[in-house]
Amino acid sequence: MKIIGQEKASFIDYPDKISILYFCSNCNMLCKYCHNYHLVKGKGKTIDHDEIFPFLKKRKKFVDAVCISGGEPTLHEGLYDFAKRVKDTGYLVKLDTNGTNPNVVKKLIDEKIVDYVAMDIKAPFHKYEAVTGIKVNMEAIKESIDLLKKSDIDYEFRTTVCKELLTKEDILEIAKYLKGSKRYSIQNFRDGETVLVGENKLHPYDIEKLEEIEKEIKGDFEIFKVRK
Ligand code: SF4
């Protein structure tokens, strides 16, 4: 499990918990709005596990959870052992995933290694390729969605929205598919130098438009959030 990034304290990544974030290298998608292109390409200094676990032991009194993010963590053969070791150290474990490897997620859920899974829903199914820049096995994505909906762990679906890639109708279509899920979040795109297609190419939604969408779909979920 190659970890090439760390955030030592986050108050927003695990609901109602303080968490430490680890970012693993590489991804099998090339989302146009990705902020983590250096991670996708595996660029960065590897953080040694011998550094990580003594740190986690030291911080246990102050931090509740560890979020394993990326890149795409499920690409790593060592994910299971890493997550289990984190769990055995006494932390809640959250996994961020793009849903392309349902079997990996299933094993982590079945063996009670993860407590929370956040899965990105990139687009309505017919637009996945346009947003992610790759050919996606949509059966795997649907399997991951079903797996989370049927599981009894905490989970969240989330979609990053920008004007150029998703229309309001696209967002409503995603929401229709996910209807009845526990938690769904829409996060507005933020521009920056590290965006995969370059700065000033993509634009966030107007707040009013997001509020309009929120009114239409929030009743379909137990918890619905817009990160403006
Ligand atoms: S935003 Fe897309 S390309 Fe970037 S890490 Fe997530 S899934 Fe991979």
Side-chain angles (χ1 to χ4, degrees):
M1 181 88 188
K2 190 175 167 193
I3 306 283
I4 54 175
Q6 179 183 35
E7 197 173 311
K8 290 185 175 174
S10 164
F11 298 89
I12 56 169
D13 283 272
Y14 197 120
D16 308 319
K17 306 283 179 206
I18 302 172
S19 59
I20 295 170
L21 272 56
Y22 288 107
F23 299 96
C24 65
S25 69
N26 299 97
C27 188
N28 50 357
M29 288 185 173
L30 287 169
C31 306
K32 297 192 164 78
Y33 54 69
C34 182
H35 270 268
N36 292 335
Y37 194 47
H38 63 292
L39 296 175
V40 172
K41 287 284 148 208
K43 286 183 191 154
K45 190 175 169 291
T46 304
I47 305 172
D48 205 289
H49 291 201
D50 291 343
E51 210 177 293
I52 290 172
F53 286 97
F55 173 73
L56 287 181
K57 278 189 189 132
K58 228 168 42 194
R59 294 302 291 265
K60 185 64 211 72
K61 263 194 251 162
F62 315 104
V63 181
D64 313 293
V66 168
C67 302
I68 306 172
S69 192
E72 175 51 38
T74 64
L75 297 179
H76 291 256
E77 272 184 22
L79 171 64
Y80 179 91
D81 289 342
F82 180 78
K84 185 171 185 322
R85 204 169 157 195
V86 171
K87 184 84 183 158
D88 291 344
T89 312
Y91 285 90
L92 293 166
V93 178
K94 173 175 175 256
L95 174 73
D96 289 341
T97 180
N98 60 23
T100 45
N101 289 305
N103 293 343
V104 175
V105 180
K106 186 173 185 316
K107 188 172 180 209
L108 291 168
I109 292 175
D110 287 351
E111 298 198 18
K112 300 193 186 315
I113 306 289
V114 287
D115 302 280
Y116 194 106
V117 177
M119 175 179 166
D120 288 344
I121 308 296
K122 303 293 184 184
F125 299 149
H126 67 279
K127 280 182 95 171
Y128 246 73
E129 203 170 325
V131 173
T132 63
I134 59 147
K135 196 148 184 53
V136 181
N137 173 359
M138 291 313 302
E139 289 315 307
I141 301 295
K142 289 177 194 167
E143 200 180 322
S144 292
I145 293 172
D146 283 350
L147 173 69
L148 293 181
K149 280 172 99 171
K150 287 182 189 144
S151 76
D152 45 18
I153 63 160
D154 262 343
Y155 68 88
E156 169 185 0
F157 297 117
R158 58 190 186 191
T159 301
T160 299
V161 296
C162 66
K163 284 183 186 170
E164 288 79 3
L165 296 178
L166 293 182
T167 63
K168 178 184 169 184
E169 288 64 39
D170 290 333
I171 300 167
L172 296 182
E173 192 178 330
I174 298 171
K176 198 167 154 198
Y177 190 83
L178 298 176
K179 189 174 173 173
S181 305
K182 192 165 188 173
R183 193 187 291 254
Y184 181 45
S185 313
I186 288 178
Q187 50 198 22
N188 209 0
F189 169 73
R190 271 182 304 112
D191 205 4
E193 281 176 3
T194 59
V195 170
L196 192 143
V197 292
E199 203 170 6
N200 297 321
K201 296 277 190 331
L202 302 173
H203 298 88
Y205 260 69
D206 300 327
I207 305 299
E208 299 73 41
K209 195 84 179 165
L210 286 181
E211 286 172 350
E212 198 182 296
I213 294 169
E214 180 175 18
K215 273 192 206 134
E216 289 189 42
I217 64 175
K218 70 176 177 192
D220 293 340
F221 304 95
E222 223 174 279
I223 300 166
F224 176 77
K225 288 220 159 76
V226 179
R227 297 180 185 129
K228 295 165 188 163

